[in-house]
Amino acid sequence: MRRGVTSLIKLSYSMSFIAVKPRVVFVLGGPGAGKGTQCSKIVDKYGYVHLSAGELLRKEKNTPGSEVGQLISDYIKEGKIVPVKITCGLLEKAMNDVMRETNNAKNKFLVDGFPRNQDNLEGWNAAMDDKVDMQFVLYFDCPEEVCTRRILERGKTSGRTDDNIESLRKRFNTFVNETKPVIQHYSNLDKVRRIDADNAPNAVFQSTSEVFDQIM
């Protein structure tokens, strides 16, 4: 496990640093809060690049020959949070790849589903704090019963191993016990923009747009 993590981090951190700092918005909310749907709309209207921590981990999990694939799979199945070094390495590599491919034309990123706990927060600050311009946290606040209904409906077609009631309970517990304190941390720094996500997607995006219109 240690060798795999080290290899991944070396792959990311060995790349030459891009002079323009990525501008980062963290996107947080419980499972089923609609983060992915809203991120797609933000990308279309405001030109951000959407990086889902979960999708990057799932992609790495399914990559043949990955040294950390099985480790990621085990954590996801149990509803646990993947070690921060793996996630930070994947996020940094993804941002650097986009900025290099676009000659820095695309340098605004939505980091969806991260940081999810105190370890994530500390790991990110240690590895990335001086490399990015962290703008704010976009928090989609949605009742658990609404999120549960959405997830179970999505699970009929998503093919995701964690879209089931057993994994969902674990994910909600993780969110309440580990992610909400992170949101509170950023709230204390006046860096949280809360969105009521218990509405239709277009209504939620109207509120979301008001946040981005203020900073653009």
Side-chain angles (χ1 to χ4, degrees):
M1 181 182 74
R2 183 174 301 170
R3 183 171 62 88
V5 173
T6 301
S7 297
L8 181 59
I9 301 309
K10 284 183 177 179
L11 173 65
S12 174
Y13 287 76
S14 64
M15 295 184 297
S16 59
F17 180 66
I18 298 174
V20 176
K21 284 188 176 183
R23 299 169 62 189
V24 171
V25 173
F26 289 138
V27 183
L28 295 174
K35 299 184 295 296
T37 298
Q38 295 303 313
C39 284
S40 295
K41 293 178 179 293
I42 296 167
V43 167
D44 291 341
K45 185 172 181 178
Y46 298 103
Y48 278 74
V49 177
H50 179 206
L51 296 179
S52 166
E55 288 301 323
L56 289 172
L57 289 167
R58 282 186 285 273
K59 180 179 178 181
E60 185 67 21
K61 172 177 72 75
N62 295 323
T63 299
S66 170
E67 295 180 332
V68 294
Q70 186 57 52
L71 174 67
I72 293 172
S73 180
D74 292 341
Y75 272 84
I76 290 177
K77 184 177 180 180
E78 291 300 319
K80 296 179 180 179
I81 295 173
V82 174
V84 65
K85 287 186 178 181
I86 294 176
T87 308
C88 278
L90 292 172
L91 287 169
E92 184 178 8
K93 181 180 185 302
M95 287 189 287
N96 283 349
D97 286 349
V98 169
M99 292 177 67
R100 181 176 292 107
E101 290 167 3
T102 64
N103 196 28
N104 295 336
K106 291 187 176 182
N107 71 322
K108 299 182 298 182
F109 297 91
L110 301 171
V111 176
D112 175 4
F114 186 91
R116 293 181 61 199
N117 64 4
Q118 184 66 26
D119 182 59
N120 278 184
L121 177 61
E122 293 174 358
W124 172 271
N125 287 340
M128 301 293 292
D129 192 48
D130 62 341
K131 296 181 181 180
V132 304
D133 174 14
M134 190 279 180
Q135 297 183 293
F136 59 90
V137 173
L138 189 63
Y139 170 36
F140 291 103
D141 191 6
C142 191
E144 182 174 336
E145 60 271 18
V146 175
C147 291
T148 299
R149 184 172 66 248
R150 291 175 180 175
I151 287 286
L152 294 180
E153 182 63 28
R154 183 179 74 183
K156 295 177 181 179
T157 57
S158 69
R160 285 179 47 171
T161 58
D162 57 345
D163 276 355
N164 59 78
I165 194 64
E166 183 178 353
S167 290
L168 190 54
R169 290 194 184 101
K170 295 176 182 177
R171 290 162 66 195
F172 272 120
N173 286 337
T174 295
F175 175 72
V176 170
N177 296 324
E178 302 191 41
T179 306
K180 279 197 171 181
V182 172
I183 296 171
Q184 184 60 51
H185 165 79
Y186 281 113
S187 181
N188 294 340
L189 300 175
D190 195 28
K191 283 197 169 187
V192 172
R193 306 295 180 266
R194 178 190 172 278
I195 305 295
D196 182 0
D198 185 15
N199 288 301
N202 287 340
V204 175
F205 188 60
Q206 182 175 349
S207 299
T208 302
S209 293
E210 292 174 2
V211 172
F212 282 88
D213 286 343
Q214 291 175 0
I215 68 167
M216 295 300 286

